[in-house]
Amino acid sequence: MSRTMICVACVEENKGCECEHEKPVKELALEASENSSFLHSVINMVGMLIGLGQLSMPYAVESGGWMSIFLLIFFGILTTYTSHILGNCIRRNPKSKSYSDIGYSAFGRHGRLITSLFIYLEIFMALVSYTISLHDNISAAFPATFSNHGHFPAAKLTAVAVAIALPSLWIRDLSSISFLSSGGILMSAIIFGSVVYTAVFGGVIDDGRIPVLRLGNIPTVSGIYLFSFGGHIVFPNLYTSMKDPSKFTKVSIVSFATVTALYTALAMTGAKMFGPSVNSQITLSLPKHLLVTKIALWATVLTPMTKYALEFAPLAIQLERSLPSTMSDRTKLLARGLTGSSLLLVILALALTVPYFGYVLSLSGSLVSVTIAVTLPAAFYLKICWDGMSKFTRVANLGFVVLGCVLGVLGSFESSKLLVKELIRVHGG
């Protein structure tokens, strides 16, 4: 889930916010321009989708069994469809420029409030997940690279890395941090290449067998898969930025097909290589003695450090807009920086307390991603486009709303239960 959102009106060098002040911050892919071509839009959408989720693909297959790969493909198709219907909602109401705008068009101010709540919740959960990933991978990468320096606790290393990233939260000019967003695809390509290289040349053989299906684990596995497809909060902005918005559906099909193919290949390759011993992050299962493993670990370490400012941008803009207009720019910058730094330190403490990447990712996917990628788009579509729908389309989308709610409740319950059980086991509470 490699993406970020910014206020449309605030992009241009602080020329004044054109947003209605009762509205929450609008979402926009940093890379998108007002005349994005088909190829540019595909690259943007792929960049939004690929992120932390790819690390857990082999682990998800091991947890759910080989048959769960069909669930991965199904979610890829389903979220492609929900991306398409978001475009239909905008065509029906061209004034909608963002995900929260569509929520307002469908359900009024309550709809905007609910969508904004899930947007900010997703940002928070993403920051926690990034920090856990940073902690896990830096503990593996640092000693291997600097063994002559002796042992240094992973928690302190993580704190140092977060401290290095903190100044980026004080940057006010969004164009200065937009270049960071292009690193997501590069880092993902490095990680994928490392796994493929290890599969071909690493000599990894695992005798453990993965079962055909583990039905009891499907709710938590669904959360991981859906987390990996949850880029929908920025798709409306990508739609409005396209030179030819009528091609948005084709962009969605090409982008989701590409990402689904990559996820499937990574899931099958990693699961086949490591079997039941696969880690919740594939980079932690790669052979420690290989150079390519060190490269993959450091790519995973650097990714969160470049994401903090991008993920924090929507909260920062909303904060500045809520401050009194009489406040000086320097005071606003101070308030923004201190708030961002405090939030990141809280997230650091939480990530170090609950360093269970797979469970947190599943919880985030079940609690937030399924709502943003499945439930809300189908609900918006039903409300906005009901009159022009066939009976089959109405039934199908009602089914998707129900499916999203069921997966959200079951997945959140199961992943929370596993997370609490692991905390009790480790801390002896």
Side-chain angles (χ1 to χ4, degrees):
M1 204 171 46
S2 177
R3 57 190 180 277
T4 188
M5 298 72 65
I6 58 176
C7 177
V8 176
C10 298
V11 177
E12 300 183 5
E13 302 285 335
N14 299 313
K15 290 181 180 177
C17 182
E18 298 173 5
C19 307
E20 297 176 23
H21 285 277
E22 71 272 17
K23 293 182 180 180
V25 68
K26 293 185 178 182
E27 309 86 36
L28 177 67
L30 283 172
E31 299 94 328
S33 65
E34 292 183 357
N35 295 296
S36 294
S37 65
F38 180 87
L39 180 60
H40 191 192
S41 298
V42 168
I43 293 172
N44 272 314
M45 188 172 285
V46 171
M48 293 169 197
L49 292 169
I50 292 180
L52 284 177
Q54 69 167 343
L55 298 177
S56 289
M57 287 296 112
Y59 169 77
V61 169
E62 192 281 326
S63 298
W66 287 113
M67 291 288 289
S68 70
I69 289 177
F70 292 105
L71 186 64
L72 169 65
I73 296 171
F74 168 73
F75 284 143
I77 295 171
L78 176 58
T79 49
T80 304
Y81 172 74
T82 54
S83 172
H84 158 72
I85 62 177
L86 284 176
N88 286 349
C89 290
I90 297 176
R91 277 191 284 272
R92 177 62 69 91
N93 190 347
K95 291 183 179 180
S96 298
K97 304 296 182 182
S98 68
Y99 193 89
S100 56
D101 283 345
I102 297 176
Y104 181 80
S105 298
F107 301 107
R109 298 185 65 139
H110 292 297
R112 188 186 293 280
L113 179 63
I114 291 171
T115 54
S116 299
L117 173 64
F118 277 99
I119 287 169
Y120 293 129
L121 185 58
E122 182 182 53
I123 292 171
F124 180 79
M125 296 292 285
L127 288 171
V128 172
S129 300
Y130 276 124
T131 308
I132 294 174
S133 177
L134 171 62
H135 173 261
D136 290 346
N137 284 274
I138 206 170
S139 64
F142 196 93
T145 307
F146 301 104
S147 57
N148 59 318
H149 288 194
H151 178 69
F152 196 58
K156 291 184 179 179
L157 288 172
T158 305
V160 170
V162 169
I164 292 172
L166 273 179
S168 66
L169 301 183
W170 291 70
I171 299 175
R172 193 176 186 185
D173 181 9
L174 293 170
S175 62
S176 299
I177 61 173
S178 62
F179 75 94
L180 295 174
S181 61
S182 61
I185 294 179
L186 175 61
M187 296 303 172
S188 296
I190 291 174
I191 293 167
F192 180 74
S194 301
V195 174
V196 172
Y197 179 90
T198 304
V200 176
F201 303 107
V204 178
I205 300 175
D206 189 274
D207 295 328
R209 288 175 175 259
I210 294 177
V212 175
L213 182 65
R214 286 179 170 148
L215 194 60
N217 292 342
I218 291 302
T220 55
V221 169
S222 297
I224 295 174
Y225 287 153
L226 284 165
F227 179 91
S228 307
F229 288 116
H232 291 58
I233 57 176
V234 291
F235 291 169
N237 304 101
L238 192 150
Y239 176 96
T240 56
S241 75
M242 289 183 64
K243 186 183 301 184
D244 183 3
S246 66
K247 295 181 179 179
F248 179 76
T249 297
K250 291 182 180 179
V251 168
S252 298
I253 292 172
V254 172
S255 301
F256 275 89
T258 301
V259 172
T260 303
L262 185 147
Y263 283 162
T264 303
L266 188 60
M268 296 181 69
T269 303
K272 185 66 176 175
M273 275 198 297
F274 303 110
S277 63
V278 69
N279 197 281
S280 61
Q281 298 179 73
I282 186 63
T283 49
L284 301 180
S285 292
L286 299 175
K288 298 295 185 289
H289 64 280
L290 295 179
L291 175 61
V292 71
T293 299
K294 296 178 176 63
I295 295 173
L297 287 170
W298 280 106
T300 312
V301 167
L302 290 174
T303 298
M305 296 177 67
T306 63
K307 294 292 184 183
Y308 287 136
L310 295 169
E311 291 288 345
F312 178 67
L315 297 176
I317 293 169
Q318 182 65 20
L319 172 65
E320 286 200 26
R321 283 170 43 198
S322 65
L323 294 174
S325 58
T326 55
M327 190 176 289
S328 67
D329 288 344
R330 178 175 295 183
T331 305
K332 287 183 179 179
L333 176 62
L334 184 63
R336 170 197 179 114
L338 289 176
T339 301
S341 300
S342 301
L343 177 63
L344 193 53
L345 291 176
V346 169
I347 287 170
L348 171 63
L350 182 60
L352 294 178
T353 305
V354 192
Y356 309 114
F357 183 79
Y359 298 150
V360 172
L361 210 66
S362 177
L363 178 60
S364 180
S366 300
L367 186 64
V368 183
S369 301
V370 69
T371 304
I372 286 176
V374 179
T375 309
L376 288 180
F380 294 160
Y381 188 44
L382 284 167
K383 187 67 168 62
I384 294 173
C385 304
W386 178 272
D387 294 339
M389 285 185 187
S390 66
K391 186 176 181 180
F392 173 79
T393 304
R394 290 174 181 171
V395 172
N397 280 275
L398 281 170
F400 295 148
V401 171
V402 173
L403 175 64
C405 291
V406 171
L407 288 175
V409 171
L410 292 179
S412 298
F413 176 77
E414 288 296 326
S415 54
S416 298
K417 185 173 69 175
L418 291 171
L419 189 57
V420 170
K421 187 181 294 185
E422 187 67 15
L423 284 170
I424 292 174
R425 184 188 68 82
V426 172
H427 296 289

